[in-house]
């Protein structure tokens, strides 16, 4: 079996003249938690619908479990669970009865229903009518339906929508556990990097339908170097002296310089060089961009169109 459970090649979806997804090449390793990130309207949900065969691509292909999705939908999707947007429920049935309906369609067992309810923390509310559930409880019921048969691949579209902080924490912990305890691969979309950062082993960032980064969180961090902010009494002269010494430096206005650096050792060396050259140093600060900062920089330009 391929080491990538999801692979796409040139995946494209156009709606008229608008490209919602444009030439997307995804590689999702087996056993990973792959965070699929992008602002609202970037093309995340359109991509997920193509991965699940809900809509057909305009161009390109999808491979799941090493097999083309087209022509093998029944085989590959039988090993896949998903939660896309708000789950559909029967409000007059209990949570357990809702899952029983799905169980019969999937030829699962009642024990699997109980296990799925326990996995998402709905055991105590299982026999209440789903119409009385909160939005967060409905979301967890949909997640239980996706997990019922313990699929090898789980695809989730914004799974923490509608959850309170405690529910978000529970879902986050569950996503972390799934690869470790069940060997599951999880593909999860979100527009919040800070949320995905706590669970993802791999990240793909989409903007205006195009993949602008794919790799590990550490790989994303390494694309952006640390900076040292220095306040000095003679910024123009200090800037020239630092450049002659080989530093990459910019004058940010007033008495502040911004210098590309590599951790605390560079910050200390920089301050020592300035003081040794006769400059008065008022302030030195090492700035390390967070993944959230990097994500916001990468997705700063507005998405073209607004199709999800």
């Amino acid at each position: 079996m391929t080491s990538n459970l999801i692979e796409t090649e040139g995946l494209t979806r156009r709606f008229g003249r608008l490209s919602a997804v444009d030439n997307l090449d995804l590689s999702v390793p087996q056993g990973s938690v792959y965070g699929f990130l992008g602002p609202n309207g970037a093309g995340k949900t359109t991509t997920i619908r193509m991965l699940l065969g809900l809509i057909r691509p305009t161009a390109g292909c999808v491979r799941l479990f090493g097999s083309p999705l087209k022509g093998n939908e029944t085989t590959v999707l039988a090993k896949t669970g998903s939660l896309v947007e708000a789950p559909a429920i029967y409000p007059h049935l209990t949570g357990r009865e809702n899952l029983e309906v799905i169980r019969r369609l999937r030829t699962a067992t009642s024990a699997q229903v109980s296990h799925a309810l326990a996995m998402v923390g709905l055991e105590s509310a299982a026999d209440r009518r789903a119409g009385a559930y909160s939005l967060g409880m409905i979301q967890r019921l949909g997640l239980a339906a996706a997990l019922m048969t313990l699929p090898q691949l789980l695809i989730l579209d914004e799974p923490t929508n509608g959850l309170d902080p405690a529910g978000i924490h529970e879902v986050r912990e569950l996503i972390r556990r799934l690869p470790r305890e069940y060997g599951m691969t999880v593909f999860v979309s979100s527009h919040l990097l800070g949320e995905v950062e706590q669970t993802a082993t791999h990240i793909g960032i989409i903007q205006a339908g195009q993949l602008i980064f794919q790799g590990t969180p550490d790989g994303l961090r390494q694309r952006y170097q640390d900076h040292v902010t220095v306040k000095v009494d003679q910024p123009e002269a200090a800037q020239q002296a630092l450049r002659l010494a080989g530093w990459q430096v910019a004058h940010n206005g007033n008495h502040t310089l911004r210098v590309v650096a590599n951790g605390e050792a560079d910050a200390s060396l920089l301050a020592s060089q300035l003081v040794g050259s006769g400059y008065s140093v008022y302030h030195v600060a090492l700035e390390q961009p967070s993944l959230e900062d990097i994500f916001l920089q990468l997705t700063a330009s507005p998405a073209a169109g607004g199709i999800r």
Side-chain angles (χ1 to χ4, degrees):
M1 180 183 290
T2 178
S3 60
N4 291 323
L5 254 64
I6 299 176
E7 292 178 319
T8 70
E9 184 177 346
L11 191 64
T12 299
R13 176 67 192 198
R14 288 189 289 271
F15 295 92
R17 287 181 288 182
L18 174 65
S19 289
V21 176
D22 185 12
N23 201 35
L24 204 65
D25 293 338
L26 293 176
S27 298
V28 178
Q30 183 175 1
S32 67
V33 175
Y34 188 103
F36 189 48
L37 292 153
N40 290 330
K44 300 187 301 296
T45 299
T46 299
T47 299
I48 285 177
R49 287 172 175 159
M50 287 190 285
L51 295 181
L52 293 169
L54 299 175
I55 58 174
R56 296 220 179 261
T58 305
C61 65
V62 175
R63 287 189 295 273
L64 301 181
F65 304 96
S67 300
L69 175 61
K70 187 175 181 181
N72 297 291
E73 291 89 347
T74 302
T75 302
V76 297
L77 294 178
K79 299 182 284 187
T80 303
S82 64
L83 176 59
V84 182
E85 298 186 332
I89 64 163
Y90 296 101
H92 62 287
L93 299 180
T94 68
R96 188 185 303 278
E97 288 167 344
N98 269 274
L99 293 190
E100 281 288 332
V101 172
I102 298 169
R103 177 189 73 78
R104 292 171 188 174
L105 294 173
R106 296 183 185 174
T107 64
T109 67
S110 295
Q112 286 175 305
V113 169
S114 297
H115 185 221
L117 288 165
M119 290 176 76
V120 301
L122 280 179
E123 311 103 304
S124 61
D127 297 314
R128 286 167 48 192
R129 281 195 316 108
Y133 280 9
S134 67
L135 180 61
M137 293 170 72
I138 291 172
Q139 191 76 355
R140 281 192 278 165
L141 186 62
L143 187 54
L147 288 167
M148 189 189 307
T149 57
L150 294 180
Q152 296 177 42
L153 172 63
L154 181 66
I155 297 178
L156 304 174
D157 188 17
E158 303 272 4
T160 58
N161 275 355
L163 298 182
D164 59 18
I168 291 171
H169 177 75
E170 289 173 2
V171 170
R172 185 190 306 149
E173 289 301 311
L174 176 61
I175 289 172
R176 282 199 194 105
R177 284 179 14 232
L178 292 174
R180 184 176 66 248
E181 296 183 9
Y182 302 99
M184 207 175 290
T185 301
V186 184
F187 182 95
V188 54
S189 81
S190 179
H191 63 280
L192 302 172
L193 190 144
E195 178 64 29
V196 170
E197 184 180 359
Q198 300 183 58
T199 58
T201 60
H202 295 74
I203 290 173
I205 298 177
I206 187 174
Q207 166 71 339
Q210 297 183 331
L211 194 66
I212 57 176
F213 174 82
Q214 182 167 238
T216 64
D218 284 345
L220 182 58
R221 288 188 185 94
Q222 289 168 8
R223 291 180 51 164
Y224 290 80
Q225 291 181 282
D226 298 343
H227 289 80
V228 175
T229 300
V230 187
K231 282 192 174 182
V232 293
D233 59 339
Q234 303 174 62
E236 290 84 3
Q239 179 183 24
Q240 183 62 23
L242 289 173
R243 283 180 173 169
L244 290 173
W247 297 92
Q248 297 179 48
V249 54
H251 186 189
N252 282 7
N254 297 326
H255 292 275
T256 303
L257 301 178
R258 185 174 174 85
V259 186
V260 175
N262 185 20
E264 295 178 351
D266 272 6
S268 177
L269 176 61
L270 178 65
S272 297
Q273 286 183 353
L274 287 171
V275 172
S277 299
Y279 299 101
S280 295
V281 177
Y282 306 134
H283 176 78
V284 179
L286 177 64
E287 298 179 0
Q288 298 172 303
S290 67
L291 284 182
E292 188 76 25
D293 295 332
I294 295 168
F295 174 65
L296 291 173
Q297 289 180 46
L298 283 172
T299 59
S301 60
I307 288 179
R308 296 179 59 211

